[in-house]
Amino acid sequence: SLVPSPVMATRCPPSCRSRLLGWGVANERVTPITAGETWTFRDVRITAAPARHEAGLAGWEVPDAIGLLIEAEGLRIYHTGDTEYDLRLRALAYDKARPIDVMMAVINGAGGNMNAHEAALLAWHIGPRVLIPMHHVLWQDHSGGEGATLDPQLLVDTYRRLGGSGRVLLPEVGQGFVLTQEG
């Protein structure tokens, strides 16, 4: 369900908030959050990371797009969200005392998202222990439109050519995995 449960509050960019309110979600259950803001729920800390999602499609404008940096059980997990390559994202690598353990990166290269090569470059800059590509199985016919890079092997090959040394996981649809500090 797209609508959160009655006991859960939702934090999202202001543009998303307006959609939720339009769907009838109560105002007090929706809290806007922008890049750089952090909130904690129990033992999970979530920071909104910057993103640039300029799809070029009417109705898909997201000037306040965010990714997520999730810290839980000693892990730092970066989910790019929908974003193009943006130099601001490289700042996630600057905290050498707390490196990124897992990076989940869009690679489809269409609709305002990084292509596989841009995602590989960003991963090389950030240096995660584990890299997981996303959005490459969105189109059943694998066409994805002009500029799409739907083969995750493009990410792997480019990442390795750049000198990326993290483990790359290529999950199948419906496959689960467990992320631990041990890898």
Side-chain angles (χ1 to χ4, degrees):
S1 167
L2 293 175
V3 179
S5 71
V7 297
M8 177 190 269
T10 299
R11 296 188 190 270
C12 57
S15 60
C16 181
R17 181 179 188 276
S18 65
R19 283 190 183 183
L20 288 170
L21 295 175
W23 291 339
V25 177
N27 183 50
E28 63 275 4
R29 290 191 37 228
V30 185
T31 304
I33 188 163
T34 58
E37 293 182 332
T38 298
W39 76 94
T40 302
F41 179 75
R42 297 189 182 158
D43 60 345
V44 178
R45 178 184 160 118
I46 300 173
T47 301
R52 186 181 75 210
H53 185 51
E54 298 175 9
L57 302 170
W60 286 86
E61 298 85 2
V62 189
D64 53 0
I66 59 171
L68 297 174
L69 179 58
I70 305 163
E71 299 175 77
E73 297 185 19
L75 290 172
R76 294 185 82 218
I77 302 166
Y78 170 48
H79 185 293
T80 65
D82 284 343
T83 189
E84 298 172 320
Y85 183 88
D86 190 310
L87 290 176
R88 296 176 299 164
L89 303 177
R90 291 172 50 179
L92 293 166
Y94 296 154
D95 189 349
K96 298 297 182 194
R98 300 175 347 166
I100 301 294
D101 295 297
V102 179
M103 177 178 166
M104 297 182 286
V106 293
I107 69 162
N108 61 301
N113 291 325
M114 292 183 284
N115 65 35
H117 306 293
E118 293 164 330
L121 180 63
L122 182 60
W124 177 69
H125 285 297
I126 290 175
R129 288 187 317 138
V130 176
L131 174 59
I132 304 170
M134 304 183 302
H135 280 36
H136 54 285
V137 292
L138 288 177
W139 294 274
Q140 187 173 8
D141 66 1
H142 297 286
S143 65
E146 187 177 333
T149 53
L150 303 176
D151 181 356
Q153 193 60 47
L154 288 172
L155 169 84
V156 175
D157 294 345
T158 302
Y159 181 60
R160 294 294 180 228
R161 279 195 298 265
L162 289 168
S165 60
R167 179 176 169 205
V168 181
L169 289 179
L170 302 176
E172 297 291 326
V173 173
Q175 173 189 8
F177 49 89
V178 176
L179 303 173
T180 65
Q181 288 182 342
E182 293 78 35

